[in-house]
Structures are given as C-alpha cells and as structure tokens.
Amino acid sequence: FFGAMSSADEATLLIVGSSVIGLIFGAFQYFKISQIAVDHTGTSETSRLTEDNKNPYVTLLKCYHAISKGAQAFLFAEYSLCSIFIVLFSCIVFGLTSKVGDHYKFDIGGLTTASFAVGAFTSLAAGYIGMYVATFANARCTIAASQTGATGWTEAFNVAFRAGGVMGFVLCSLAIAILYGLLVLFESYLGSKTTGEAKELFECIAGYGLGGSSMALFGRVGGGIYTKAADVGADLAGKVVAGIPEDDPRNPATIADNVGDNVGDVAGMGADLFGSLAEASCAALVISSQSHHLVQQGWACLMVPLSISALGILVCLVCSFLATDIYPVKKEEDVETVLKVQLFSTALVMSAVCYPVMQYWLPHSFSFETYVDAKGQPIECYWWGAYACVLAGLWAGCLIGFITEYYTSHSYTPVREVAQSCETGAATNIIYGLALGMKSAILPILLIAATVFMSFELVGMYGVAMAALGMLGTLATCLSIDVYGPVCDNAGGIAEMSEFESDVRDKTDALDAAGNTTAAIGKGFAIGSAALVSLALFGGFISRVAGEGHQITINILRPSTFAFLFIGAMLPYWFTALCMKSVGTAAMAMVKEVERQFREIPGLLEGLPGHGEPDHARCIEISTTASLREMVLPGLLVIFSPITTGAFFGIEATCGLLVGGLTSGVQLAISQANTGGAWDNAKKYVEKGCVKIQLSNGEYQVQGKGTDLHKAAVCGDTVGDPLKDTSGPALNILMKLMAIISLVHADFFASINRGQGLLNIPSAFLRKL
C-alpha cells in the first residue's frame, strides 16, 4: 500500500498527511478569496468610512467592518465565558474521572482532563476560524456578484463555496490531527498492546469529544439566540410593523442580523460538527478496545476510524474542483444542481475508497466482549460488515438530506402548500407548517432505524459507530455547503444596505435560496449523525460500566430505568422551551429598540435626505447581552442531568435517561428544523411572486411583498427561526453531550455503591469491581 513501511507508519502517514494537505488546501482557498479586493472606493483610508455619498462601495465597507467587528466582539465575550467554564469544569472532570472503583488514579484523571481541555479549545478555534473566513468573504461575494453575465454568477458562487471550504477542510484536518497527536502522546504513557491498555487509552481520549461537544453546546445555543433575536426583531419591526424591505439600510437591526448569521450559522455549526466528528471517533475507539482481535491486529487497525475521516478530507478536496472549476455555476439554474452533484459525487467516491483501506487494515474476522449471542458466546464479525456499516451511514445521510430538501424547498409541493395556506392568514400557515414538520420526521427516522438495525446486526455497537463515521465521511463538503449559505445571505444583506443595482441582489438572493435548501440538507446530515453518534457513545458507556470480561443487560422494565426513560424524553422539550423563551424575550427587546429609533431619530423611517444614522451598536448589544445571559441555563441542564442522575440514582437510571433523550430528541430536532425551514422558504416563495389567490370575479392576483398574505408568511418565518436555527440544531448536541458525559464519567458512576448511586437504588446487576 505504501511500500515497505509498517502498518502503523502507513496509518500515521495517511492520517497526518491528509491533515496537512487539508490545512494547505484551506489556506489555498483563503488565498483565492483574498484575490478579490474589498476596497473599490478610490478614497483615502481616513475618509472612506465616514464619507456620505451615493457610492455603494463606501457603504459596503462600512457594513463589512461593522459585521466583522460585531462578530469578533461577540465571540470574544462568549469565548471568555467559555474559557472560565473550561477551567471550572476541568476541575470537576479531574475529580470525578480520577475515581476508579475504591481508589483513585490521578494519572487517568489528569489525561482525561487534558484531552477535555484540548478538545474544548480546538472547538473554540474551529468556530472562530469559520466566523473569520465568513466575515472575510461576505463583502467579496457581493463585489463578485456585481460583475455582469456568467462571470458574476461563477465568481460569487466560488467565493461563498471556497469560504465554506476553508472552514470545512481546516476543521476536519485540525480535528483528526490533534486527536491523533493526543493518541500518540497518551499511548507512549499508557500503551495499547493489550485490551486493558487500549481501554484505558481510549477512555482517557474520550475527554476530547466531551470538550468539543461542551463548547458546541454554548456555541449553538448562544449563537442561535443571538442570531434569531436579531433576525426575528429585524423582521417584525421592519417588514411587519414598518413595512420596509429585508436588510433595508434604515433598519437598525440589520447589522446585528448579519452578525448573527456568522456567530450562529457558521461558528455554532462548525463547533457542532467538530463535536460530532470527535465523538464518533472516540466512540469507535472505545468500542474497538473491547475486541482482543482488533487490539492484537495492531495500531493501524485501531486507527481505522481516523483513517476513514482522513480519506474523507482527500475525497472532498478532489471533488471540490467539480463545483469551482470543472462544472462551474454560470446561471441561476446551475446553483442547486452544482451543490447536489457535489454531495452525490463525494459520497460516491467515498464509497469506493473506503473499501481497500478497511479490507487492508481490519482483520478478516473479529469479535467483541460485549457483543454476544443468547448463550453468551461472542458473535463473529467480519471486515466487510464494518465496510457495509460505513456505506449504510454514508448513503442514509444522503437520503436524509434529500428527504429534508423535499420538505423544505419551495421547488416541491409541501412548501408550496404552506405558502398557499397564508391566503387565510398566519394561523393556517402555522398549522400547515407544524403538520409538515411532524410528517417530515417519518422517513428519516425509518432510515436511521434501519441503519442502526443493520449495523448492530453486522458488527454490534462498533458498526453503529462506523455508520456514524460514514455519515460524517463527507463532512468537509457538508461544511463547505453549510457555510456557503450564510456567506450568500450576508452578501445579499450588504448589497441591499449598500443600495447596489437590483441585479446584484438578484444574484445573491438566488445563491442564498439554494443555500437555504442545502443548509436544510446539512441539518439533516447533522441530526442523523448526532443520533448515530449518541447511540454509539451509549454503547461505549455500556461497555465501560460492564468492566473487562463482563457484560450487562439493561432491562427497560426496571423501575429506575423506566422512570428515567420518561425524564430523558422530557429533557428535549425543557431544553427547547428555554431556548424559545430566550429568543422571544430578546426579540421583544429588539423590536422595542428598533421602534424607539424609528420614533426618536428624525427622518430615519421615512428615509429623508440627511437623516440621522441608525444606532446599530445598541442592537448588537441587546443580542449579545441576551445570548450570553440566556445560554447558561440550557447548558447547565444538559451537562449536569446525566452527572446528577448517575451519581444519585445509578447506572440503570442513566441508561433510561440517555435512551429517552435520544429517541425523543432526534424526532423533535428533525420536526423543528424542517418546520422552520419550510416556513422560511414559503416566505421566499411568496416574495418571488409565485403565489396567487382567486378574486371574487374569478381572476387570479399575484400576492408578493407588502401584501397581507406576505405578512402572514413572515409571521410563520419568524416563528420558525428559533426552531430551525436555535433549539432544533442544539438538540443534536443535547443527545451527544449527555452520552459523552456519561461515557467519560462511567467509572465514577460505577464506583458509587457498585453502580447503584448515592441513594443505593436496587439494581438488576452489581458490577464486579
């Protein structure tokens, strides 16, 4: 494969080499974006930001700097709080993970804490990189769109797609490179030659996933509250109350809205998917240590989960040239097609390249201590079964994405029905949208269930973890497409605020509309992978509490398990309620502030010549303060629920909590994300002038912007905003974070009254310590 090298060296070359290539390619993408100059004013440095003239490039620079400054200010404030949390929670992690049985292993606690801190700060870095490149590219996308003809379409698309590529490739490369570095460092101390050594090594490494997911929670919730408070406030105060267009320069909340796209949809999404990749890798590693066959096969075999992710970087890199160079976008109709081809091609190539690697490094057959038949004998698994699991996850993710598209794109019947329902007001719009979201969960859940069943039958919980990694195999491409949407959205907002020609806004709107659809596809990937990752982590938790050479069976009809099954199923609703209430409270404050400025700043609402400037800073302050204050309680709810349950009620209760949270959370997440996406695109369908109503004389009248039907559509969109961009995506992290916390603290839970908790609740099993 790589010549005369050892298999361990081959694995190192693949993982480290792919990471380095990914980082270099990310830098190359950034360089390509930087070739578009953002300053076209022709004025001096000292006057260009304050000059008041009709040159749209002057206003563009103002918006560009204001959005960048606002995003950086928010992330600095958020990351300052997160850093304090990392220090405090590190102390808790060290104290709890050091307790193993009746004694303390401070080296194990120290290594777990170190991996937690590294994962947390890597997650913060990933979010910041995404935010930085998105704010760097937004105005450049606007400038590219100002070019005429096919060149404008090609350049604008490429800027946005490459901005996503920077984040996608840098994030994936950093994630596996730093994880592999920790593995090599820890292995030199703990070893990996026996199953006992491998278990200790990978259980310590699980802290890396915990750190990434912890920061993702605050990034998703904090960023989500920020962006939706600004978005809902701007929409209600602008479109509904004042009757002015979206991103109108008179609206004081527009800058805060555009800042929110970067801190929520980009930084939050990046941290979320970084957490998924880290946790899926950690789950697969922990479960692999339960197989003496895999451990005896050597280091390269154990590193197969990371090798899959490394292959994904290379595949996504090669396929990215399809979108930017081989089949570039030249007109509006090309945009959605190019993005779909990008997703399909990466999945197809990934399916092919995983085959030789898994056949080469995995043993022909292997078994696990915790995957046994009815007689207690280990079930034999095969390398091709693990490969089939990767394929199942990969293509289930694609199918979930395209099903999500069907229910959220206005190219199809469901969203058009929602748009038409606005004819009779906002109430029927809400009813139709809620029904659509609930219905849209059916097929994805069936696909996830089928993937889980097949994977578990073939390779046990290791198969579920491999399916999760398969679904995340094209993560670099998925992130490229996810970040592409907010960049186009920002570009359109800047074009509107800077009063560019209408054809510029037409291009950015078309790019953004496709971005909304592909963002919905990305959310489908994120939710599906979160469900598989959470289940794989649960498998790792069960393996860890079972102890070496033992196995346990969780009986769902046990009182504590069944009771906490209900409590776990309730947590996503509690979490959603906190997030929704926070957005509503902040949005009310935003609407009142915008109305105050319209009322007190002479000529602002009317757009009279020489009117005073809107106070964007005050709106940014409202969103920042609200998001930082409101993200604390949902975060504490998710983090301390499993710790409290395991410590006081024992392992059986923790199992019920995790299963309840997973089964309830995944369906609620899909429903919320698709409901919000459908309302958003139903509004856009109305704004395109595609909805008609029949008049009393039998003629049909188009209902576009400014009509009562449009206002009803805007109401649905504003209700859906926190569903699709705050609580819905954050539920992914709820499922994963509760599971990884339980996995990392499994020994601590088992050490308390032999797994029965401080309340010493009778258990169906007693762990042999």
Side-chain angles (χ1 to χ4, degrees), residues 248-259:
D248 191 288
R250 292 170 289 175
N251 192 331
T254 51
I255 293 294
D257 184 10
N258 283 280
V259 169

Side-chain angles (χ1 to χ4, degrees), residues 298-322:
W299 185 250
C301 175
L302 294 173
M303 292 300 107
V304 164
L306 272 70
S307 299
I308 293 172
S309 300
L311 286 172
I313 293 174
L314 300 178
V315 168
C316 293
L317 187 156
V318 172
C319 291
S320 69
F321 290 103
L322 287 172

Side-chain angles (χ1 to χ4, degrees), residues 23 122 125-126 129 169-179 208 274:
L23 291 171
T122 306
I129 290 168
F169 288 102
V170 171
L171 183 147
C172 293
S173 300
L174 283 178
I176 65 170
I178 293 176
L179 176 58
Y208 183 77
F274 167 82

Side-chain angles (χ1 to χ4, degrees), residues 235-446:
D235 280 353
L236 288 178
K239 295 180 183 178
V240 178
V241 178
I244 58 178
E246 184 176 8
D247 295 316
D248 191 288
R250 292 170 289 175
N251 192 331
T254 51
I255 293 294
D257 184 10
N258 283 280
V259 169
D261 290 336
N262 296 289
V263 300
D265 296 341
V266 178
M269 171 65 84
D272 180 3
L273 290 175
F274 167 82
S276 288
L277 181 58
E279 286 164 322
S281 302
C282 291
L285 292 171
V286 169
I287 297 170
S288 68
S289 68
Q290 301 290 327
S291 171
H292 67 275
H293 296 102
L294 296 182
V295 173
Q296 289 174 356
Q297 186 75 6
W299 185 250
C301 175
L302 294 173
M303 292 300 107
V304 164
L306 272 70
S307 299
I308 293 172
S309 300
L311 286 172
I313 293 174
L314 300 178
V315 168
C316 293
L317 187 156
V318 172
C319 291
S320 69
F321 290 103
L322 287 172
T324 56
D325 297 277
I326 299 174
Y327 298 110
V329 170
K330 295 182 178 179
K331 56 184 182 297
E332 180 177 349
E333 293 75 17
D334 293 343
V335 180
E336 211 165 304
T337 302
V338 166
L339 292 173
K340 288 179 183 177
V341 168
Q342 190 69 23
L343 283 173
F344 182 82
S345 62
T346 51
L348 190 64
V349 177
M350 190 69 186
S351 300
V353 299
C354 284
Y355 180 90
V357 169
M358 298 185 72
Q359 183 186 34
Y360 182 71
W361 276 325
L362 287 176
H364 177 73
S365 62
F366 50 94
S367 60
F368 297 89
E369 296 172 359
T370 53
Y371 184 46
V372 296
D373 59 19
K375 297 179 180 180
Q377 298 301 310
I379 297 174
E380 195 168 21
C381 307
Y382 301 92
W383 73 266
W384 52 262
Y387 172 66
C389 294
V390 172
L391 287 187
L394 182 62
W395 288 103
C398 284
L399 288 174
I400 290 172
F402 290 124
I403 290 168
T404 303
E405 181 205 7
Y406 173 74
Y407 281 105
T408 57
S409 171
H410 58 54
S411 300
Y412 304 102
T413 302
V415 171
R416 294 185 177 188
E417 288 179 345
V418 173
Q420 194 66 50
S421 72
C422 297
E423 179 181 352
T424 50
T428 46
N429 182 27
I430 300 294
I431 293 168
Y432 267 70
L434 290 174
L436 179 149
M438 294 173 188
K439 187 177 179 181
S440 70
I442 298 172
L443 289 177
I445 292 299
L446 291 176

Side-chain angles (χ1 to χ4, degrees), residues 370-726:
T370 53
Y371 184 46
V372 296
D373 59 19
K375 297 179 180 180
Q377 298 301 310
I379 297 174
E380 195 168 21
C381 307
Y382 301 92
W383 73 266
W384 52 262
Y387 172 66
C389 294
V390 172
L391 287 187
L394 182 62
W395 288 103
C398 284
L399 288 174
I400 290 172
F402 290 124
I403 290 168
T404 303
E405 181 205 7
Y406 173 74
Y407 281 105
T408 57
S409 171
H410 58 54
S411 300
Y412 304 102
T413 302
V415 171
R416 294 185 177 188
E417 288 179 345
V418 173
Q420 194 66 50
S421 72
C422 297
E423 179 181 352
T424 50
T428 46
N429 182 27
I430 300 294
I431 293 168
Y432 267 70
L434 290 174
L436 179 149
M438 294 173 188
K439 187 177 179 181
S440 70
I442 298 172
L443 289 177
I445 292 299
L446 291 176
L447 279 170
I448 292 171
T451 302
V452 168
F453 180 82
M454 190 200 83
S455 300
F456 194 85
E457 280 291 305
L458 288 174
V459 203
M461 277 295 180
Y462 186 71
V464 176
M466 298 303 279
L469 285 167
M471 198 172 284
L472 293 166
T474 57
L475 181 56
T477 291
C478 291
L479 274 170
S480 299
I481 294 172
D482 281 334
V483 175
Y484 155 89
V487 170
C488 293
D489 193 4
N490 261 210
I494 291 172
E496 182 78 34
M497 289 184 284
S498 304
E499 300 183 66
F500 273 82
E501 296 294 330
S502 60
D503 67 309
V504 177
R505 184 66 203 243
D506 290 342
K507 287 192 185 77
T508 57
D509 279 351
L511 294 170
D512 181 33
N516 280 335
T517 300
T518 53
I521 295 174
K523 286 184 175 73
F525 268 104
I527 295 168
S529 63
L532 294 178
V533 168
S534 179
L535 184 57
L537 291 168
F538 177 68
F541 170 70
I542 293 297
S543 300
R544 188 169 182 183
V545 297
E548 188 170 358
H550 299 92
Q551 56 189 353
I552 61 173
T553 300
I554 301 298
N555 186 350
I556 194 174
L557 295 180
R558 291 287 301 170
S560 58
T561 306
F562 200 74
F564 276 87
L565 188 67
F566 280 104
I567 294 174
M570 171 272 297
L571 286 179
Y573 290 88
W574 188 358
F575 181 83
T576 296
L578 292 173
C579 293
M580 295 286 286
K581 180 73 177 296
S582 297
V583 171
T585 302
M588 284 178 61
M590 187 70 72
V591 170
K592 291 178 180 178
E593 173 60 24
V594 173
E595 288 179 333
R596 181 195 68 80
Q597 293 194 35
F598 282 153
R599 185 174 60 252
E600 296 181 6
I601 299 177
L604 176 60
L605 179 58
E606 297 79 7
L608 299 176
H611 67 74
E613 289 291 320
D615 187 358
H616 297 297
R618 175 57 187 151
C619 294
I620 291 175
E621 181 185 348
I622 289 173
S623 277
T624 301
T625 303
S627 60
L628 296 180
R629 180 183 66 246
E630 300 291 342
M631 75 178 185
V632 175
L633 191 54
L636 295 179
L637 172 68
V638 175
I639 290 169
F640 287 101
S641 290
I643 294 177
T644 304
T645 302
F648 284 91
F649 300 95
I651 290 170
E652 282 190 341
T654 305
C655 291
L657 186 84
L658 297 180
V659 173
L662 168 59
T663 54
S664 170
V666 64
Q667 300 182 72
L668 193 59
I670 293 172
S671 176
Q672 289 185 12
N674 291 349
T675 293
W679 276 328
D680 188 0
N681 281 327
K683 177 203 68 176
K684 285 181 166 57
Y685 191 63
V686 172
E687 290 175 343
K688 287 181 69 177
C690 297
V691 177
K692 300 177 183 178
I693 61 172
Q694 189 173 18
L695 303 178
S696 57
N697 60 6
E699 295 181 357
Y700 286 89
Q701 184 182 66
V702 174
Q703 299 290 296
K705 291 183 179 181
T707 62
D708 288 340
L709 188 145
H710 178 241
K711 289 183 178 180
V714 171
C715 288
D717 178 39
T718 52
V719 172
D721 274 337
L723 290 174
K724 71 181 176 67
D725 291 322
T726 306

